[in-house]
Amino acid sequence: MDLEEEFKDVNVEDPTSMDKVLILLENIQAEDDEFMEILLSKQNEMIVTWEQPWYQKSRCLTRPLKITDDSLPQFRTDSICKDESDEIHRNWRKFRKMFNVPNKPVCIARWRNKTKSKRPNAPSEYVRRFVIAFLAQGLERNLYQVYKHVVVRYGSKVKGNYSKYEEKVMNICLLHNPKNSVPYLSTMLGREPRGIYKRMLQLYQGKPPKKKLKWTLSLASKFINLLLEYTGEPLENLKYRSIEKSVWLKLEKDMGQLYTYLQYFWMVTLHSQLFVKYDIEVQALRRHLFKKIKQYPYKVWTDIRWKELLKHVPDGFTHHFLHNVCRKLARSYKGYLNVPLEELIQYGLNKPCVKRRLKTLALNEHNALEVIRYNQKPEYD
DNA sequence: CACTATGAACCTCTAGGCAT
DNA sequence: ATGCCTAGAGGTTCATAGTG
């Protein structure tokens, strides 16, 4: 179904525009229902015949697993890496061949139990859980984690900026305001509900005007002084401290800039400039990080756990800074997210770079930021 | 009523992609 | 090719429904 074509001549204000949305939605739901019927017809064959770790025996698919006994074997808790995602996909192939079902994992991803019995052993819940348990085979993950991954991998394939047709459909929903519009839009557009929610809010409330910020010492001084005022903390206490959203909202107002952008500036740039008290050569730091990354079992870029790497650098850095400084270099390599990490690291280590120092800052007696040079160099192991 | 399940919404960190 | 901003992805919390 081509959304762009479907909605080309539709006018948002037209009273029938919502009908068009609902028809599309019904078509999708019919497809999902049909798929579910096929699964239900095979319920009798769906018996767990393989060894399951305790954390895959849970009866709850859509809630995080509560850990009641620490002595039991652990499951992984970091994000699902590429190898695991591939494993899930292999399991899906095995499943659809074994049970002879259409190759439509998206139907599993989209299925929500809105109207049927929520009893865990009600037929539709039973088969849904069985499919996910099947996909979880061989992984050190619980069913909730695998379910979430399936929802994202197969259910929301569309990424990137919203097209005007997508926005048109969102505006139609805003105008007619049907119940559960966000999840329905997510189904129709093949996007994450969280993204839709955010975008709808912006369409409704409007974005704060985007003005170009040129970060200067005086602007950063203004920012840091406001941050000190609103948190009521001395500067040293702000190191690695999580800052309440209410504070960010006040800053957004005073700085006239979206708070998420201010957060970005704080976490990626200013924090490290304020709290790292060494003479840092950026290129040396990057080389050190690449060598450390090599020692981890990461296979691709997205497997890297940046917080983990904080252990190997001087105090004061944020993992956002480390991620940013490494990505700057890595992204110029074609397909950097998916190529074998070894290859990417080799590229990173060999690529010549301009020598730059981390600009370090301190607050002077007039509460203004000034550049300060530290003499001590870090010792990388 | 308590318990356990649900979908929806909210918070935090990483990646996509436009502008330069 | 790089800087900048924001969309996407993962974790967590909220409000509510079915069951015994």
Side-chain angles (χ1 to χ4, degrees), chain A residues 276-307:
Chain A
V276 173
K277 310 217 163 159
Y278 287 93
D279 180 24
I280 301 285
E281 274 183 29
V282 175
Q283 179 60 356
L285 173 75
R286 197 149 44 195
R287 286 185 70 83
H288 167 64
L289 284 167
F290 279 141
K291 285 178 186 165
K292 282 290 165 195
I293 290 169
K294 227 173 172 175
Q295 293 170 9
Y296 283 88
Y298 306 139
K299 298 271 178 60
V300 290
W301 178 264
T302 48
D303 290 345
I304 301 170
R305 305 290 169 247
W306 296 96
K307 274 186 172 170

Side-chain angles (χ1 to χ4, degrees), chain A residues 219-264:
Chain A
L219 192 60
S221 300
K222 178 185 172 189
F223 170 81
I224 192 72
N225 280 301
L226 286 167
L227 192 58
L228 291 171
E229 183 189 332
Y230 292 140
T231 56
E233 298 281 351
L235 184 60
E236 273 311 304
N237 289 4
L238 292 184
K239 186 163 77 173
Y240 296 125
R241 204 185 112 114
S242 71
I243 291 155
E244 280 177 36
K245 192 176 169 185
S246 60
V247 171
W248 288 116
L249 288 173
K250 284 184 203 168
L251 283 161
E252 174 174 297
K253 213 166 157 222
D254 290 351
M255 302 291 293
Q257 198 74 359
L258 267 179
Y259 79 90
T260 47
Y261 166 61
L262 299 174
Q263 274 178 331
Y264 177 85

